[in-house]
mmCIF file of all heavy atoms in Angstrom:
data_model
loop_
_atom_site.group_PDB
_atom_site.id
_atom_site.type_symbol
_atom_site.label_atom_id
_atom_site.label_comp_id
_atom_site.label_asym_id
_atom_site.label_seq_id
_atom_site.Cartn_x
_atom_site.Cartn_y
_atom_site.Cartn_z
ATOM 1 N N ARG C 613 -8.349 -12.024 1.084
ATOM 2 C CA ARG C 613 -8.894 -12.983 2.049
ATOM 3 C C ARG C 613 -9.790 -14.019 1.368
ATOM 4 O O ARG C 613 -9.766 -15.206 1.715
ATOM 5 C CB ARG C 613 -9.684 -12.239 3.126
ATOM 6 C CG ARG C 613 -8.846 -11.341 4.024
ATOM 7 C CD ARG C 613 -9.737 -10.498 4.921
ATOM 8 N NE ARG C 613 -10.337 -11.277 5.992
ATOM 9 C CZ ARG C 613 -11.432 -10.901 6.659
ATOM 10 N NH1 ARG C 613 -12.063 -9.775 6.323
ATOM 11 N NH2 ARG C 613 -11.902 -11.654 7.634
ATOM 12 N N ALA C 614 -10.588 -13.569 0.410
ATOM 13 C CA ALA C 614 -11.510 -14.475 -0.274
ATOM 14 C C ALA C 614 -10.746 -15.545 -1.055
ATOM 15 O O ALA C 614 -11.100 -16.731 -1.021
ATOM 16 C CB ALA C 614 -12.430 -13.695 -1.209
ATOM 17 N N VAL C 615 -9.684 -15.155 -1.752
ATOM 18 C CA VAL C 615 -8.894 -16.116 -2.511
ATOM 19 C C VAL C 615 -8.235 -17.125 -1.570
ATOM 20 O O VAL C 615 -8.269 -18.337 -1.804
ATOM 21 C CB VAL C 615 -7.834 -15.391 -3.363
ATOM 22 C CG1 VAL C 615 -6.829 -16.387 -3.950
ATOM 23 C CG2 VAL C 615 -8.508 -14.592 -4.471
ATOM 24 N N ARG C 616 -7.663 -16.628 -0.508
ATOM 25 C CA ARG C 616 -6.982 -17.524 0.443
ATOM 26 C C ARG C 616 -7.978 -18.507 1.074
ATOM 27 O O ARG C 616 -7.692 -19.700 1.196
ATOM 28 C CB ARG C 616 -6.287 -16.693 1.525
ATOM 29 C CG ARG C 616 -5.415 -17.533 2.473
ATOM 30 C CD ARG C 616 -4.802 -16.664 3.553
ATOM 31 N NE ARG C 616 -3.952 -17.447 4.441
ATOM 32 C CZ ARG C 616 -2.634 -17.526 4.355
ATOM 33 N NH1 ARG C 616 -1.999 -16.838 3.413
ATOM 34 N NH2 ARG C 616 -1.932 -18.268 5.191
ATOM 35 N N TYR C 617 -9.137 -18.002 1.453
ATOM 36 C CA TYR C 617 -10.132 -18.879 2.084
ATOM 37 C C TYR C 617 -10.593 -19.954 1.119
ATOM 38 O O TYR C 617 -10.694 -21.143 1.482
ATOM 39 C CB TYR C 617 -11.335 -18.073 2.571
ATOM 40 C CG TYR C 617 -12.389 -18.942 3.217
ATOM 41 C CD1 TYR C 617 -12.275 -19.325 4.543
ATOM 42 C CD2 TYR C 617 -13.475 -19.418 2.482
ATOM 43 C CE1 TYR C 617 -13.219 -20.159 5.134
ATOM 44 C CE2 TYR C 617 -14.420 -20.247 3.052
ATOM 45 C CZ TYR C 617 -14.292 -20.614 4.386
ATOM 46 O OH TYR C 617 -15.227 -21.441 4.961
ATOM 47 N N GLU C 618 -10.892 -19.564 -0.127
ATOM 48 C CA GLU C 618 -11.357 -20.553 -1.101
ATOM 49 C C GLU C 618 -10.298 -21.618 -1.376
ATOM 50 O O GLU C 618 -10.612 -22.793 -1.595
ATOM 51 C CB GLU C 618 -11.780 -19.868 -2.395
ATOM 52 C CG GLU C 618 -13.227 -19.432 -2.418
ATOM 53 C CD GLU C 618 -14.176 -20.603 -2.199
ATOM 54 O OE1 GLU C 618 -14.325 -21.446 -3.112
ATOM 55 O OE2 GLU C 618 -14.777 -20.699 -1.106
ATOM 56 N N MET C 619 -9.030 -21.231 -1.386
ATOM 57 C CA MET C 619 -7.966 -22.216 -1.576
ATOM 58 C C MET C 619 -7.989 -23.251 -0.450
ATOM 59 O O MET C 619 -7.914 -24.460 -0.693
ATOM 60 C CB MET C 619 -6.606 -21.520 -1.643
ATOM 61 C CG MET C 619 -6.368 -20.749 -2.925
ATOM 62 S SD MET C 619 -4.852 -19.738 -2.881
ATOM 63 C CE MET C 619 -3.588 -21.020 -2.667
ATOM 64 N N THR C 620 -8.096 -22.797 0.785
ATOM 65 C CA THR C 620 -8.071 -23.726 1.924
ATOM 66 C C THR C 620 -9.361 -24.537 2.008
ATOM 67 O O THR C 620 -9.345 -25.710 2.413
ATOM 68 C CB THR C 620 -7.835 -22.972 3.237
ATOM 69 O OG1 THR C 620 -8.853 -21.973 3.418
ATOM 70 C CG2 THR C 620 -6.473 -22.279 3.225
ATOM 71 N N ARG C 621 -10.483 -23.936 1.617
ATOM 72 C CA ARG C 621 -11.765 -24.668 1.657
ATOM 73 C C ARG C 621 -11.816 -25.735 0.572
ATOM 74 O O ARG C 621 -12.166 -26.895 0.830
ATOM 75 C CB ARG C 621 -12.927 -23.696 1.486
ATOM 76 C CG ARG C 621 -14.305 -24.334 1.646
ATOM 77 C CD ARG C 621 -15.414 -23.410 1.186
ATOM 78 N NE ARG C 621 -15.382 -23.233 -0.262
ATOM 79 C CZ ARG C 621 -15.932 -24.081 -1.136
ATOM 80 N NH1 ARG C 621 -16.522 -25.190 -0.704
ATOM 81 N NH2 ARG C 621 -15.884 -23.843 -2.437
ATOM 82 N N GLN C 622 -11.481 -25.346 -0.662
ATOM 83 C CA GLN C 622 -11.529 -26.315 -1.760
ATOM 84 C C GLN C 622 -10.550 -27.475 -1.532
ATOM 85 O O GLN C 622 -10.857 -28.624 -1.840
ATOM 86 C CB GLN C 622 -11.217 -25.616 -3.080
ATOM 87 C CG GLN C 622 -12.301 -24.653 -3.544
ATOM 88 C CD GLN C 622 -11.981 -24.055 -4.904
ATOM 89 O OE1 GLN C 622 -11.229 -24.628 -5.679
ATOM 90 N NE2 GLN C 622 -12.553 -22.881 -5.186
ATOM 91 N N ALA C 623 -9.381 -27.151 -1.002
ATOM 92 C CA ALA C 623 -8.388 -28.204 -0.744
ATOM 93 C C ALA C 623 -8.928 -29.222 0.248
ATOM 94 O O ALA C 623 -8.719 -30.437 0.091
ATOM 95 C CB ALA C 623 -7.098 -27.588 -0.220
ATOM 96 N N ALA C 624 -9.637 -28.749 1.273
ATOM 97 C CA ALA C 624 -10.208 -29.669 2.259
ATOM 98 C C ALA C 624 -11.272 -30.560 1.617
ATOM 99 O O ALA C 624 -11.363 -31.762 1.914
ATOM 100 C CB ALA C 624 -10.797 -28.874 3.421
ATOM 101 N N VAL C 625 -12.088 -29.982 0.718
ATOM 102 C CA VAL C 625 -13.108 -30.762 0.024
ATOM 103 C C VAL C 625 -12.464 -31.852 -0.826
ATOM 104 O O VAL C 625 -12.852 -33.029 -0.783
ATOM 105 C CB VAL C 625 -13.979 -29.844 -0.861
ATOM 106 C CG1 VAL C 625 -14.903 -30.677 -1.751
ATOM 107 C CG2 VAL C 625 -14.790 -28.889 -0.001
ATOM 108 N N LEU C 626 -11.448 -31.483 -1.606
ATOM 109 C CA LEU C 626 -10.787 -32.431 -2.497
ATOM 110 C C LEU C 626 -10.045 -33.515 -1.719
ATOM 111 O O LEU C 626 -10.061 -34.698 -2.090
ATOM 112 C CB LEU C 626 -9.830 -31.689 -3.432
ATOM 113 C CG LEU C 626 -10.495 -30.710 -4.411
ATOM 114 C CD1 LEU C 626 -9.432 -29.891 -5.132
ATOM 115 C CD2 LEU C 626 -11.368 -31.454 -5.408
ATOM 116 N N ALA C 627 -9.392 -33.122 -0.636
ATOM 117 C CA ALA C 627 -8.638 -34.098 0.160
ATOM 118 C C ALA C 627 -9.556 -35.119 0.822
ATOM 119 O O ALA C 627 -9.149 -36.256 1.097
ATOM 120 C CB ALA C 627 -7.820 -33.364 1.226
ATOM 121 N N ASP C 628 -10.810 -34.715 1.047
ATOM 122 C CA ASP C 628 -11.772 -35.605 1.688
ATOM 123 C C ASP C 628 -12.495 -36.481 0.666
ATOM 124 O O ASP C 628 -13.434 -37.200 1.011
ATOM 125 C CB ASP C 628 -12.786 -34.767 2.473
ATOM 126 C CG ASP C 628 -13.573 -35.585 3.470
ATOM 127 O OD1 ASP C 628 -12.979 -36.486 4.105
ATOM 128 O OD2 ASP C 628 -14.792 -35.343 3.608
ATOM 129 N N GLY C 629 -12.052 -36.397 -0.610
ATOM 130 C CA GLY C 629 -12.670 -37.208 -1.649
ATOM 131 C C GLY C 629 -13.878 -36.585 -2.293
ATOM 132 O O GLY C 629 -14.545 -37.206 -3.125
ATOM 133 N N GLY C 630 -14.198 -35.350 -1.923
ATOM 134 C CA GLY C 630 -15.365 -34.676 -2.479
ATOM 135 C C GLY C 630 -15.045 -33.950 -3.775
ATOM 136 O O GLY C 630 -13.909 -33.969 -4.266
ATOM 137 N N LYS C 631 -16.063 -33.316 -4.330
ATOM 138 C CA LYS C 631 -15.912 -32.536 -5.550
ATOM 139 C C LYS C 631 -16.324 -31.090 -5.278
ATOM 140 O O LYS C 631 -17.298 -30.834 -4.570
ATOM 141 C CB LYS C 631 -16.772 -33.112 -6.675
ATOM 142 C CG LYS C 631 -16.314 -34.486 -7.157
ATOM 143 C CD LYS C 631 -17.167 -34.942 -8.338
ATOM 144 C CE LYS C 631 -16.678 -36.298 -8.850
ATOM 145 N NZ LYS C 631 -17.490 -36.764 -10.018
ATOM 146 N N VAL C 632 -15.568 -30.179 -5.857
ATOM 147 C CA VAL C 632 -15.912 -28.760 -5.738
ATOM 148 C C VAL C 632 -17.093 -28.472 -6.657
ATOM 149 O O VAL C 632 -17.100 -28.889 -7.823
ATOM 150 C CB VAL C 632 -14.711 -27.873 -6.114
ATOM 151 C CG1 VAL C 632 -15.119 -26.400 -6.146
ATOM 152 C CG2 VAL C 632 -13.560 -28.101 -5.146
ATOM 153 N N THR C 633 -18.082 -27.799 -6.133
ATOM 154 C CA THR C 633 -19.254 -27.420 -6.920
ATOM 155 C C THR C 633 -18.991 -26.124 -7.667
ATOM 156 O O THR C 633 -18.519 -25.148 -7.070
ATOM 157 C CB THR C 633 -20.482 -27.241 -6.010
ATOM 158 O OG1 THR C 633 -20.720 -28.456 -5.292
ATOM 159 C CG2 THR C 633 -21.710 -26.866 -6.817
#
Side-chain angles (χ1 to χ4, degrees):
R613 294 172 74 201
V615 169
R616 187 182 181 99
Y617 179 83
E618 272 302 288
M619 288 172 62
T620 57
R621 186 192 69 83
Q622 291 184 23
V625 171
L626 296 172
D628 196 39
K631 293 184 178 180
V632 173
T633 302

